[in-house]
Amino acid sequence: MTEKDEGLSVPVHVADANDVFYHIRFREDGQQFTASSSTAGLKRETGVMVKTDHGFEPAHIVAVAPPCMWTEKPRLASFEITREMTAEEQERYALLIDQEKQAQATCVHLIAKHELEMRLVRVEKFFNGSKMIFYFTADNRVDFRNLVKDLVQEFRTRVEMRQVGVRHETKMLGGLGTCGRELCCASFIKKFESVSIKMAKEQDLPLNPSKISGLCNRLLCCLTYEYDIYRKQRKGMPKVGKKIMIGDECYMVKRQNPLQESIVVSNEKGEDEQLQKDQWQACEPLKTERPIRKDRKVKE
């Protein structure tokens, strides 16, 4: 099932030392999770039964998970594969997908009937039929009590309405990012980290919303990936706008290139030069006197 929303985490368990690890999907367009199994050699698209917190759920193998290079601690997995699906379970799984699509169409019709300001994102039904979850987005709080009554009467099972944010909506729907690859949130991100405009500034990225925003119209999650590296690299470098002395020459720092550990400076003739680390490392920063404000009164 899709990762639970708004602060609820994906389950994690410690796998046995001899277990094999696979990437699995519970739905064809769903997120990938890592699952452990005592069975080796499971092929792509193999149907398997996975242990979850509410019972067994069907899933399909996407690929063999790459080995973990950190061997000091036991490897963790989100789920545990118990066995392969039977032919009967394969048929029930195909029927389950159709039931979810029908439930989504029914719910959209009922939302319009009750004139509710909400947008249905996805419907998920437990394999054992004990519960259906309806994920939706809304700008404000929605009184969906009458909607739930109609859904319970229609499907004769427990119904849960779960409101999600726009980032989680994009995660469920999936898509391609500006890099041409599948969205990070739809493929591997389990928990959304806080992203700020400061991260874009630190990496000298253009502060154009269309350039640094994702399909959800929020700041790109990938801004967090190299942020710490940029901060670490910049620490010992001369700051932009400062004057430095190298030998008898005075330079003004115009730009930093943290990944190359180089800086672009302007000499006294106004010419730009690029200095490598071995050139600027021994530089001496010049202290600039702060100008005295004209309107500042001198106390006697």
Side-chain angles (χ1 to χ4, degrees):
M1 308 298 286
T2 306
E3 177 188 353
K4 292 183 178 179
D5 195 60
E6 303 296 342
L8 299 178
S9 59
V10 173
V12 175
H13 78 97
V14 180
D16 294 335
N18 297 325
D19 278 356
V20 183
F21 294 85
Y22 299 93
H23 287 159
I24 63 170
R25 288 186 193 267
F26 290 99
R27 298 293 183 268
E28 186 178 352
D29 57 347
Q31 188 178 15
Q32 291 186 23
F33 296 95
T34 301
S36 64
S37 174
S38 58
T39 305
L42 294 176
K43 303 297 183 182
R44 180 182 174 87
E45 299 299 332
T46 300
V48 292
M49 295 303 293
V50 178
K51 186 178 180 181
T52 70
D53 57 357
H54 57 264
F56 293 99
E57 288 287 338
H60 285 88
I61 302 292
V62 176
V64 177
C68 180
M69 304 307 294
W70 192 16
T71 57
E72 296 179 1
K73 291 185 178 181
R75 188 169 181 179
L76 303 178
S78 297
F79 297 97
E80 180 183 359
I81 298 172
T82 56
R83 56 177 174 80
E84 291 189 38
M85 270 196 274
T86 64
E88 180 187 356
E89 288 168 338
Q90 290 277 13
E91 294 177 1
R92 286 178 57 196
Y93 175 73
L95 184 61
L96 179 71
I97 302 301
D98 290 337
Q99 290 172 344
E100 289 178 344
K101 292 179 180 178
Q102 293 171 9
Q104 183 151 356
T106 301
C107 186
V108 168
H109 172 72
L110 291 174
I111 288 173
K113 175 185 174 182
H114 291 286
E115 299 181 347
L116 299 175
E117 295 294 329
M118 58 190 293
R119 167 185 162 83
L120 187 65
V121 178
R122 169 168 293 196
V123 179
E124 291 182 354
K125 183 178 180 181
F126 288 177
F127 190 61
N128 58 17
S130 62
K131 188 178 183 179
M132 297 181 76
I133 304 176
F134 294 79
Y135 297 91
F136 71 95
T137 60
D139 295 332
N140 302 300
R141 293 191 63 178
V142 180
D143 184 359
F144 45 70
R145 287 175 293 183
N146 291 330
L147 173 63
V148 171
K149 290 178 182 178
D150 288 348
L151 291 173
V152 170
Q153 186 175 2
E154 179 73 26
F155 299 110
R156 301 296 179 182
T157 187
R158 290 170 56 204
V159 169
E160 178 183 345
M161 303 298 297
R162 187 174 295 175
Q163 185 172 355
V164 299
V166 291
R167 298 175 81 186
H168 290 79
E169 177 187 16
T170 304
K171 176 178 180 176
M172 290 180 179
L173 298 178
L176 298 178
T178 54
C179 59
R181 302 190 63 177
E182 185 180 10
L183 296 175
C184 296
C185 60
S187 56
F188 66 88
I189 289 181
K190 303 295 188 297
K191 181 181 178 182
F192 287 112
E193 301 293 339
S194 177
V195 188
S196 68
I197 196 68
K198 180 182 178 182
M199 296 179 177
K201 293 179 179 179
E202 188 74 35
Q203 298 170 67
D204 294 326
L205 296 174
L207 302 183
N208 185 337
S210 64
K211 299 290 186 181
I212 58 175
S213 299
L215 296 182
C216 58
N217 290 324
R218 297 292 188 270
L219 291 173
L220 291 164
C221 293
C222 55
L223 294 180
T224 64
Y225 297 169
E226 297 179 355
Y227 174 61
D228 290 337
I229 297 296
Y230 273 84
R231 290 184 62 195
K232 181 179 178 181
Q233 294 293 94
R234 286 187 191 274
K235 276 186 177 179
M237 301 180 72
K239 295 182 178 180
V240 175
K242 299 293 183 180
K243 290 185 177 180
I244 59 175
M245 288 290 296
I246 301 179
D248 298 329
E249 291 286 335
C250 178
Y251 299 94
M252 171 72 76
V253 181
K254 298 183 67 177
R255 189 169 71 252
Q256 297 174 331
N257 299 316
L259 299 185
Q260 290 80 30
E261 294 186 296
S262 64
I263 59 175
V264 176
V265 297
S266 176
N267 58 27
E268 293 177 332
K269 297 179 182 179
E271 301 170 336
D272 288 352
E273 298 181 31
Q274 182 167 319
L275 304 179
Q276 302 301 322
K277 185 177 180 178
D278 57 349
Q279 295 176 285
W280 59 258
Q281 200 167 22
C283 71
E284 297 180 9
L286 292 180
K287 292 184 179 180
T288 55
E289 296 183 359
R290 298 177 64 180
I292 300 176
R293 290 174 53 182
K294 293 181 180 180
D295 59 345
R296 185 177 179 182
K297 295 181 178 180
V298 180
K299 294 183 179 180
E300 295 182 1

